[in-house]
Amino acid sequence: MRNVQVSRRRFLAMTGGAAAVAAGSGLLAACGSSTTPTTGGAGSVTFPDYLPYTGVQADLPATADGVMAGFYRYPTDLVTAFSGKPGEGAGTVSVLTNILTPVPPAAGSNAYWQELDNRLGATLDITMTRQVDYLSKLSTVIAGGDLPDMTLISARLANRADVLTRLCADISEFVSGSAIKQYPFLANIPTDAWQATAYGGGIYAVPIPRAVVGTIMFARADLIRDRGLNPNPASYQEFLALARGLTDARANRWAFGTAKQVVTFVGTMLGVPNVWREEGGRFTSEYETEERKEALARTADMVKGGLFHPDAMGGKLQLRDLFGNGTLAFNPDGYAAWDTLADTYRVEVGAVPAPRYDGGGVARHRAGTTAFAITAFKQADKGRIQQLLRICDWLAAPVGTTEYMFRKFGVEGSHYTVQDGRPVLTDKGKVEVKLPLEYVADAPHVLGPGDRTRIDAQRAYQEKVVPSILRNPAEGRYSATAVDKAGAMSKIIDDAELDIVAGRKPVSSWDEAVAQWRRAGGDAARAEYEKALAEQS
């Protein structure tokens, strides 16, 4: 396979320019070469078989529909999953990824990094760039033709179908269907997460998985209990009563600090689609539904009723801090925030499932994004690709394996000690065990290990909402318009929502905003999704 040198002009043409590339998270990558153009879409791809790993038994096993496994404690009888070194013979493996923490010491002065290379049987040459600077770094790398073996790619990369299929290795023959068996920990990644890796009939990356459970309406369970309020509202009116009962402006306490997520939460009660609704091959945007307009109206009523922090419309509140100190009683956030909020602020965190608007049970909740990003490979011969996949497989070993413990905590006695059954990093570990390996490959997330009461509460919430989770029918299908014009389209909606909930414009103004959104790309995105669906049928 030939290695294509990509000029800066060609790179910018493919990605729509630096501004368009940043359409969302700001992460981007490209690798390898291909001569087959595509407009996107999974086509006739065969996704990897989902083969849950059974070598480690969770206290609460994962379910087929996506409820996360739970561990009350770290397993003591660790399983050594690999008999050899997965990267043996690979030599130096270059990696480009982002990092959210300070960069750790280089390999020459980092005993953890040295032991990592020893265990892999390869030398990882990791370029770690702060997320805010990642795009600039990547642009330089691509323009210079100095492509890494493995690169992190954002799910929001502009023109990513073109970038992946022209510049990255198609790994379908190694991972499709039962072929994934040779990589048991990549096979342990649920099919949902693989949707983001498929374009033009091929699989072009390995996903970094996330759970299917979406945004959670976190609540201060202790405040609800102290006020004798109902923690499980069964209708919109009961939820409204709970919010009113938790609001006391004289005591500097309000129910909410962000309007957008409340609109979504009320929309969940009303049955608003998860971004799109598909019926008979036709896509309808959530914005085009009467239920979405109704959710805006109800949220505007709550703002007018004084249930929101006075500065909520400014969008600059430190929501987690205000939730932690009791200024806010609710805080919508991702599932991982449950532990973060509870551990950081030492408060009792609960979660409120959205009820059906008029009662009758729990509403269908939106599925979350099931891949943080994807890792793609520079094109090479089959042997090289298999070496890279084995390294990713090793990095994806789950809780209960020696590989996982080393990856997360380093060497016992040097980088961590075990205290009350839990690994605790030493001062050396806090400095050295900071390589962003989770942004190269990772195992599916689990609940815990940790406090049993909290894990049981987390599990109970997921058992309520996950079995009937509402997926986005556009997931796994590619629309260049939806990615490339995401910023402009989102601004139209965000501005209109804010004007309505803040009382600056009437709810009726929503219709014109939706019409603008359609002209700005909504209709084009719809057509692209419908075409992708038809091609897969």
Side-chain angles (χ1 to χ4, degrees):
M1 299 179 184
R2 60 193 180 89
N3 184 22
V4 175
Q5 297 290 315
V6 183
S7 69
R8 190 173 190 84
R9 178 178 295 178
R10 171 61 181 148
F11 169 70
L12 293 176
M14 289 178 63
T15 58
V21 167
S25 67
L27 297 178
L28 165 67
C31 37
S33 65
S34 173
T35 58
T36 305
T38 182
T39 57
S44 57
V45 66
T46 299
F47 286 108
D49 292 345
Y50 174 45
L51 306 170
Y53 180 62
T54 59
V56 176
Q57 298 301 314
D59 295 299
L60 301 170
T63 68
D65 50 18
V67 176
M68 295 166 67
F71 288 81
Y72 297 134
R73 65 193 68 80
Y74 282 89
T76 55
D77 296 326
L78 298 179
V79 174
T80 298
F82 285 78
S83 59
K85 298 182 177 183
E88 194 74 62
T92 298
V93 175
S94 55
V95 180
L96 179 63
T97 190
N98 75 307
I99 189 168
L100 305 182
T101 60
V103 175
S109 56
N110 187 329
Y112 170 76
W113 196 335
Q114 295 166 13
E115 180 59 19
L116 172 67
D117 287 348
N118 176 55
R119 296 191 182 202
L120 287 175
T123 301
L124 287 189
D125 179 11
I126 308 175
T127 300
M128 295 163 275
T129 304
R130 293 188 311 158
Q131 184 168 340
V132 295
D133 300 322
Y134 192 79
L135 176 60
S136 177
K137 173 65 176 179
L138 182 69
S139 299
T140 301
V141 170
I142 297 298
D146 185 15
L147 305 174
D149 291 304
M150 298 193 286
T151 311
L152 185 73
I153 298 180
S154 169
R156 296 183 178 180
L157 164 63
N159 290 328
R160 67 181 182 270
D162 197 29
V163 171
L164 283 165
T165 56
R166 288 181 182 272
L167 302 178
C168 298
D170 184 343
I171 63 173
S172 302
E173 66 176 292
F174 308 107
V175 301
S176 293
S178 61
I180 196 67
K181 289 181 180 179
Q182 61 187 319
Y183 309 108
F185 301 116
L186 297 181
N188 187 48
I189 296 175
T191 303
D192 274 328
W194 288 93
Q195 299 285 335
T197 69
Y199 296 88
I203 297 175
Y204 286 87
V206 168
I208 298 172
R210 295 293 183 264
V212 72
V213 62
T215 299
I216 297 174
M217 181 62 77
F218 292 114
R220 282 289 300 270
D222 48 351
L223 299 180
I224 294 174
R225 184 177 57 253
D226 290 347
R227 285 156 182 73
L229 300 170
N230 175 17
N232 298 300
S235 67
Y236 170 75
Q237 288 300 326
E238 290 188 13
F239 177 72
L240 182 61
L242 175 60
R244 287 171 174 164
L246 289 166
T247 299
D248 185 349
R250 290 175 297 182
N252 196 41
R253 184 176 297 113
W254 291 270
F256 311 110
T258 174
K260 190 171 187 66
Q261 294 288 6
V262 174
V263 172
T264 300
F265 189 74
V266 176
T268 296
M269 299 185 198
L270 288 162
V272 171
N274 184 354
V275 186
W276 294 93
R277 175 186 293 148
E278 183 271 318
E279 295 175 314
R282 288 286 299 168
F283 278 71
T284 300
S285 168
E286 61 172 308
Y287 306 135
E288 298 172 300
T289 65
E290 286 300 312
E291 292 85 357
R292 188 63 159 71
K293 188 193 294 187
E294 179 72 8
L296 273 171
R298 298 289 71 76
T299 304
D301 288 344
M302 287 191 278
V303 172
K304 186 176 181 180
L307 303 184
F308 282 75
H309 189 286
D311 298 325
M313 300 303 113
K316 296 182 179 180
L317 294 177
Q318 299 298 314
L319 298 174
R320 290 185 175 181
D321 288 343
L322 294 176
F323 180 83
N325 68 26
T327 300
L328 299 177
F330 293 105
N331 183 42
D333 210 332
Y335 65 87
W338 196 319
D339 290 330
T340 301
L341 293 169
D343 293 339
T344 301
Y345 303 103
R346 302 297 178 184
V347 297
E348 186 180 350
V349 178
V352 178
R356 295 183 184 275
Y357 189 84
D358 292 320
V362 175
R364 295 190 66 188
H365 287 62
R366 292 181 174 219
T369 301
T370 51
F372 166 78
I374 57 179
T375 294
F377 304 130
K378 176 181 179 178
Q379 278 199 344
D381 59 50
K382 290 184 177 182
R384 182 65 170 179
I385 297 299
Q386 289 171 320
Q387 288 172 333
L388 300 179
L389 283 168
R390 282 196 295 270
I391 290 173
C392 287
D393 193 47
W394 189 92
L395 292 172
V399 176
T401 63
T402 57
E403 292 81 3
Y404 175 93
M405 287 299 290
F406 172 77
R407 191 171 81 249
K408 297 293 187 182
F409 303 105
V411 177
E412 185 175 2
S414 176
H415 296 106
Y416 76 95
T417 59
V418 177
Q419 300 176 19
D420 298 324
R422 296 180 60 85
V424 177
L425 289 173
T426 63
D427 290 341
K428 181 178 182 179
K430 291 176 182 177
V431 173
E432 293 189 349
V433 188
K434 291 294 184 181
L435 291 177
L437 300 177
E438 69 273 23
Y439 300 131
V440 181
D442 204 2
H445 284 187
V446 299
L447 302 173
D451 176 73
R452 182 173 187 138
T453 300
R454 188 194 305 170
I455 291 169
D456 285 344
Q458 293 171 335
R459 177 75 175 205
Y461 174 85
Q462 292 199 15
E463 288 175 344
K464 288 180 181 178
V465 306
V466 170
S468 62
I469 204 83
L470 182 61
R471 288 172 168 80
N472 176 3
E475 198 74 28
R477 299 182 176 91
Y478 182 72
S479 161
T481 302
V483 176
D484 301 348
K485 297 185 178 181
M489 293 165 66
S490 294
K491 189 175 188 307
I492 293 170
I493 293 299
D494 291 345
D495 288 350
E497 284 182 338
L498 187 58
D499 283 341
I500 291 170
V501 299
R504 294 191 289 266
K505 288 186 177 180
V507 176
S508 58
S509 67
W510 180 246
D511 295 335
E512 176 53 31
V514 173
Q516 292 179 22
W517 172 85
R518 291 180 60 181
R519 292 192 294 269
D523 282 344
R526 182 202 326 276
E528 289 164 0
Y529 285 133
E530 290 174 352
K531 180 181 178 183
L533 176 63
E535 290 173 349
Q536 289 178 270
S537 300

